[in-house]
Amino acid sequence: MQGGQMIVEENAKLSSVLTPSKPSYIQSLTKIVGTLGPNSRSVEVIEACLKAGMSVARFDFSWLDGDYHQETLENLRMAMKNTKKLCAIMLDTTGPELQVCNKTGNPIDFKADSHVTVTSDLSKDLCAEVLPVDYAELAKMVRKGDTVYLGQHLFTGHETSSVWLEVLETKGQDVVCLVKNSATLAGSMFTVYVSNVPINLPTLTEHDKQIISKWGSRNNVDFISLSYTCHAEDVKELREFLKKQNLSETQIYAKVETVEGLKHFDEILQEADGIIFGRGNLGIDLPPEKVFLFQKYAVNKCNIVGKPVVITRVVDSMTGNLRPTRAEATDVANAVLDGADGIMLGAETLRGLYPVESINIVGKICAEAENVYNHSLHFKRIIGHVEEPMSYAESVASSAVRSAVKVKAAIIVVFTSSGRAARLIAKYRPPVPVVAIVTPRLCTNSLKWTFSGAAQARQLLGVRGVYPIFGSPDAATSGSSSEEPGLRLAIEHGRLVGLLKSNDRIVVFQKIGDSAVVKIIEVPGQLLV
């Protein structure tokens, strides 16, 4: 397994364990996706989340409505303005999720070894003996011995708000189950998941289409997380729908969280802009001892093609605790060493008691793992998978990363309009930040002229190590002087936030006409090469 070779640097010293972590403007090169919700939607808390390192804000439409999320988004915009920090917007679809509505909101107690009937008869009242589910075909889909999971949120395996049920028999539209563990479920809505049983519902539901056409279009979202992606056709369908909603620039992150998605992973990766490795449901579909194998496979595949990959469900215990478990901390570090671009926090920030602390500690763990990440091995591995003859852009991008390592550059500056050049640089996992100067492009829809670039800049916030800055239309003009507008902007920003100091070296990746060049400068700008 290629991903398993991504070990730490050989010269990593044990003394570094006792060395305090150094504070930095950039918490980590690995990006953090935070889910905003009841405990993380005020302006003050969002400001703290941004300062702690959140670069993408996720809005989960499995819970609450568009008005609620709109209010949260307006608070995010205010927080960005106050902190002067950019944050991308991710809309997470509901997908074919089965739900049980708890109209009374009263807690339901389930006892191990008792029986419960799951039924599609929605006229029946919810209780510990009866679970009405909004799916008429459930009894036809399951068999004796199948496992059904019921939870207030996703199933973590350690909390007492998830119930495991074993199917005993089916009677008409009813499924009789044995309760495997005692638990208390509270809240207005419970999620039902049947392990390894394909649900005959569309991946992109009518509810999802409504949310995208209204909330997504209104807010010009940067990413859509397509929940329960099972086939490449699911991504194609969403992309066609986005074009009709004037959201053709919105990127699609396929959320692979079922065995069906695992089986078609390579085809999904080819169509999607990025991958979210959904370990919540996938951890139910797969035996526990197999989850890490697919994680390493998926991350390795994403690394090879240069597409972002985000890992979920890492510090579940921080929903109610101030510190992660030792296993969780190690899990985060291993995700970074595997090659993940980002870490997604769900319940930890959505409803957890410590949303800011969760982002902060995950960022610190990522930074420590990055300090011992074997960049040389990763670089050689990626080069080994590039088809020959290597494209001109790929050749220059890889050379920029190699140069940055050799001259011990403080940052890499790349000029881009589409974001592709920055993603190519990031593919080779440079050990230093990549400052992307995103230059606007003049576009027209036959009715008016506009500048593009804002969406492309925000979307780079999902790529490991890339930090976008809006440039002016003439930011990428040719010339060898460091006084050119875009480069001067990068140097000034780097000095301001503490990434650069006098005599630091910078590797610059820049297009001049039809050519791409790499040059090395020294702050404040003496040309060396």
Side-chain angles (χ1 to χ4, degrees):
M1 179 68 63
Q2 291 279 354
Q5 297 178 7
M6 194 51 59
I7 57 176
V8 300
E9 288 279 9
E10 291 182 6
N11 61 354
K13 297 180 180 179
L14 186 61
S15 59
S16 64
V17 177
L18 303 177
T19 303
S21 303
K22 297 180 180 179
S24 171
Y25 171 77
I26 294 176
Q27 174 78 300
S28 66
L29 299 178
T30 306
K31 301 302 178 67
I32 298 177
V33 182
T35 306
L36 300 185
N39 283 3
S40 56
R41 67 191 302 259
S42 69
V43 174
E44 295 75 17
V45 173
I46 297 175
E47 286 179 6
C49 289
L50 293 173
K51 292 176 181 177
M54 181 179 73
S55 60
V56 180
R58 171 176 172 254
F59 293 82
D60 185 359
F61 277 84
S62 297
W63 307 98
L64 304 169
D65 57 21
D67 291 338
Y68 181 91
H69 288 303
Q70 188 64 40
E71 184 179 325
T72 305
L73 178 54
E74 295 304 327
N75 289 345
L76 170 64
R77 288 170 173 157
M78 180 61 68
M80 284 192 285
K81 181 179 179 181
N82 293 344
T83 60
K84 295 182 173 58
K85 288 183 177 290
L86 196 61
C87 186
I89 301 170
M90 176 180 284
L91 187 162
D92 198 319
T93 63
T94 300
E97 190 170 80
L98 306 185
Q99 295 181 328
V100 174
C101 181
N102 183 13
K103 297 177 182 178
T104 66
N106 297 328
I108 310 271
D109 293 320
F110 293 89
K111 300 299 181 183
D113 298 325
S114 63
H115 287 187
V116 61
T117 299
V118 184
T119 179
S120 59
D121 185 353
L122 298 181
S123 66
K124 294 184 177 180
D125 294 329
L126 173 67
C127 62
E129 291 76 34
V130 180
L131 295 174
V133 179
D134 58 346
Y135 183 51
E137 304 296 317
L138 183 62
K140 298 178 182 178
M141 304 295 293
V142 300
R143 298 179 180 179
K144 181 179 180 180
D146 282 346
T147 303
V148 179
Y149 294 84
L150 177 71
Q152 182 183 355
H153 303 279
L154 285 178
F155 323 98
T156 65
H158 79 275
E159 61 181 330
T160 57
S161 61
S162 301
V163 181
W164 296 18
L165 309 175
E166 179 184 333
V167 176
L168 298 178
E169 61 176 331
T170 59
K171 297 179 179 179
Q173 59 183 338
D174 296 341
V175 180
V176 181
C177 300
L178 174 68
V179 179
K180 302 291 286 185
N181 67 295
S182 298
T184 299
L185 271 61
S188 60
M189 194 75 68
F190 307 142
T191 301
V192 177
Y193 186 77
V194 186
S195 178
N196 283 306
V197 176
I199 299 300
N200 189 25
L201 292 171
T203 300
L204 186 66
T205 66
E206 289 303 316
H207 171 72
D208 293 329
K209 290 180 179 179
Q210 281 190 342
I211 293 298
I212 293 170
S213 62
K214 294 179 181 178
W215 197 89
S217 296
R218 174 183 176 182
N219 296 295
N220 195 26
V221 296
D222 304 303
F223 305 109
I224 289 183
S225 166
L226 183 58
S227 298
Y228 298 98
T229 304
C230 294
H231 306 89
E233 287 70 23
D234 297 335
V235 181
K236 293 178 181 178
E237 180 189 357
L238 175 56
R239 204 174 296 282
E240 287 301 314
F241 181 75
L242 291 177
K243 289 179 182 178
K244 296 176 183 178
Q245 305 304 316
N246 198 29
L247 288 171
S248 57
E249 290 186 342
T250 298
Q251 291 190 344
I252 300 172
Y253 276 41
K255 198 172 185 183
V256 178
E257 50 189 330
T258 64
V259 166
E260 192 70 13
L262 181 156
K263 292 176 181 176
H264 301 95
F265 181 80
D266 291 352
E267 296 88 349
I268 292 171
L269 177 59
Q270 187 174 352
E271 290 296 330
D273 299 301
I275 295 291
I276 296 175
F277 183 56
R279 301 194 305 180
N281 288 336
L282 195 57
I284 295 172
D285 268 9
L286 288 176
E289 67 273 16
K290 297 292 186 180
V291 176
F292 86 97
L293 286 173
F294 182 50
Q295 174 173 315
K296 290 183 180 295
Y297 174 86
V299 172
N300 179 58
K301 283 285 188 177
C302 291
N303 288 170
I304 289 171
V305 300
K307 291 187 178 182
V309 54
V310 178
I311 305 296
T312 71
R313 308 307 298 272
V314 289
V315 288
D316 289 336
S317 70
M318 288 197 73
T319 302
N321 297 313
L322 190 55
R323 287 167 58 93
T325 66
R326 294 167 295 283
E328 288 173 335
T330 304
D331 187 30
V332 174
N334 280 328
V336 174
L337 296 175
D338 282 345
D341 286 76
I343 300 293
M344 177 183 289
L345 300 177
E348 303 95 328
T349 54
L350 173 77
R351 61 183 174 89
L353 301 178
Y354 308 102
V356 179
E357 291 83 356
S358 297
I359 294 171
N360 188 50
I361 190 62
V362 166
K364 286 182 176 179
I365 297 168
C366 290
E368 288 296 326
E370 290 159 6
N371 286 338
V372 296
Y373 184 83
N374 197 327
H375 297 276
S376 175
L377 182 58
H378 179 94
F379 186 92
K380 292 175 183 177
R381 184 166 59 88
I382 298 302
I383 285 287
H385 283 89
V386 176
E387 293 184 2
E388 294 184 351
M390 184 183 288
S391 70
Y392 185 73
E394 188 110 29
S395 175
V396 179
S398 60
S399 296
V401 176
R402 183 187 290 111
S403 299
V405 173
K406 293 295 184 182
V407 304
K408 299 188 185 318
I411 62 172
I412 297 174
V413 174
V414 55
F415 292 91
T416 182
S417 56
S418 66
R420 181 171 178 267
R423 281 189 283 271
L424 264 180
I425 294 284
K427 175 180 178 180
Y428 291 92
R429 291 295 188 265
V432 296
V434 178
V435 177
I437 307 297
V438 182
T439 56
R441 290 182 297 177
L442 192 60
C443 306
T444 181
N445 60 1
S446 75
L447 296 177
K448 63 179 180 179
W449 290 90
T450 58
F451 279 111
S452 69
Q456 288 75 11
R458 292 190 300 268
Q459 286 162 352
L460 289 175
L461 291 169
V463 182
R464 181 192 183 277
V466 180
Y467 299 88
I469 299 176
F470 293 118
S472 60
D474 60 347
T477 55
S478 61
S480 60
S481 170
S482 66
E483 293 302 305
E484 58 190 76
L487 190 52
R488 187 169 63 248
L489 177 65
I491 292 174
E492 290 174 353
H493 179 74
R495 284 184 180 274
L496 180 65
V497 301
L499 293 178
L500 289 175
K501 61 183 184 300
S502 296
N503 301 319
D504 276 348
R505 292 180 176 183
I506 303 172
V507 171
V508 181
F509 178 89
Q510 185 177 18
K511 287 198 71 174
I512 300 178
D514 293 330
S515 301
V517 299
V518 172
K519 60 183 178 181
I520 303 168
I521 66 168
E522 188 173 287
V523 177
Q526 181 183 351
L527 186 63
L528 296 179
V529 177

